[in-house]
Amino acid sequence: MTRKFGFTSTTDQVLSGHSLKGKRVLITGVSAGPGIETARALVAIGAEVIGTARNLAKAESATSVVRDAARTAGGNFDMIALDLADLKNVDHCAGLLVSQGKPFDIVIANAGVMATPQGYTADGFETQFGTIRTGKGAVAQKRTAAARLHLTAKNITQ
């Protein structure tokens, strides 16, 4: 049977009948918008989700719906600090994830910034470019360089 989805389809409709039990997912940017909904939808079908956010206090309050879905559906949700605008922080976060010794099945590179005032990252890149391209690129590089991040990503989505 082929199911058709459109612009009014919900994540729950699209994922209905699917299970991600036993799958580990890394999602960047779970403090607002699509990152929260993506995390909620995936824990609702059993995934173990590690969400990243620059501001963990903001993400903690924003992700209560994700934790509720995890409790109800049997998924799991944890967070880790990650500031994509600071490559030293990216390296630190990668080290923490490596120390867990568990591979990721899916990586969703969702985090970003938009319409920011003129500014620069800690490494001297323009803010949007440094956060969206350089920061995510560094995460991907950590993933591939000598399996440093131990990711077995099957899907990288921006």
Side-chain angles (χ1 to χ4, degrees), residues 14-23 41-47 73 106:
V14 172
L15 296 174
S16 177
H18 295 281
S19 173
L20 286 181
K21 287 203 182 296
K23 299 296 182 184
L42 296 180
V43 299
I45 59 170
I106 301 169

Side-chain angles (χ1 to χ4, degrees), residues 24 94-104 147-151:
R24 198 157 183 257
L96 292 174
L97 293 171
V98 167
S99 71
Q100 294 175 356
K102 300 176 188 174
F104 286 97
R148 178 137 187 239
L149 199 52
H150 302 290
L151 297 175

Side-chain angles (χ1 to χ4, degrees), residues 49-134:
V49 173
I50 307 298
T52 74
R54 185 178 39 214
N55 181 334
L56 287 182
K58 177 183 174 186
E60 184 68 30
S61 64
T63 56
S64 62
V65 65
V66 178
R67 284 186 297 286
D68 291 345
R71 278 191 295 275
T72 302
N76 188 47
F77 179 70
D78 288 312
M79 288 189 298
I80 188 169
L82 173 61
D83 183 353
L84 291 170
D86 183 342
L87 296 178
K88 286 181 183 171
N89 183 266
V90 171
D91 194 52
H92 174 74
C93 180
L96 292 174
L97 293 171
V98 167
S99 71
Q100 294 175 356
K102 300 176 188 174
F104 286 97
D105 298 290
I106 301 169
V107 175
I108 300 173
N110 165 71
V113 293
M114 187 174 165
T116 60
Q118 181 65 38
Y120 298 91
T121 67
D123 303 289
F125 298 104
E126 185 276 325
T127 302
Q128 283 186 278
F129 177 79
T131 301
I132 297 169
R133 295 291 175 222
T134 308

